[in-house]
Amino acid sequence: QLQLVESGGGLVRPGGSLRLSCAASGFTLDYYAIGWFRQAPGKEREGVSCISSSGGRTNYADSVKGRFTISRDNAKNTVYLQMNSLKPEDTAVYYCAADLFAGGLEPQGYDYWGQGTQVTVSS
């Protein structure tokens, strides 16, 4: 079955770093744009970052620019989100999603979603 699995979340101190991974099974990510989204309790899901199928185009929410980096390794069928200088407001469940089209920071149109991984930034 088609599946995306996020991993790498956890508890970190403010200013710390985490690298999230999004691994696909049952299909290849080569032709998909990938987005990372997050949702905190009581808040709407928001787009964090996205990357084109080739990796040639990326986009970031203003809140994470300069701190987060999205990348992909199609040979490993995996997409990554490197998160540096983490802040308490980054605390959320992080989801990856795959889109056969252009992708973007809006969740509408994404075809496949992972189960999410919890990121908690706290002292």
Side-chain angles (χ1 to χ4, degrees), residues 13-16 63 67 84-91 120-122:
R13 295 287 196 265
S63 59
R67 300 189 297 120
N84 299 326
S85 301
L86 283 162
K87 304 175 180 179
E89 51 263 45
D90 295 318
T91 296
T120 302
V121 185
S122 176

Side-chain angles (χ1 to χ4, degrees), residues 18-20 36 48-49 68-70 79-83 94:
L18 285 173
R19 189 178 75 160
L20 305 183
W36 282 97
V48 176
S49 183
F68 290 12
T69 303
I70 191 170
V79 175
Y80 305 96
L81 184 68
Q82 179 67 45
M83 306 187 296
Y94 284 70

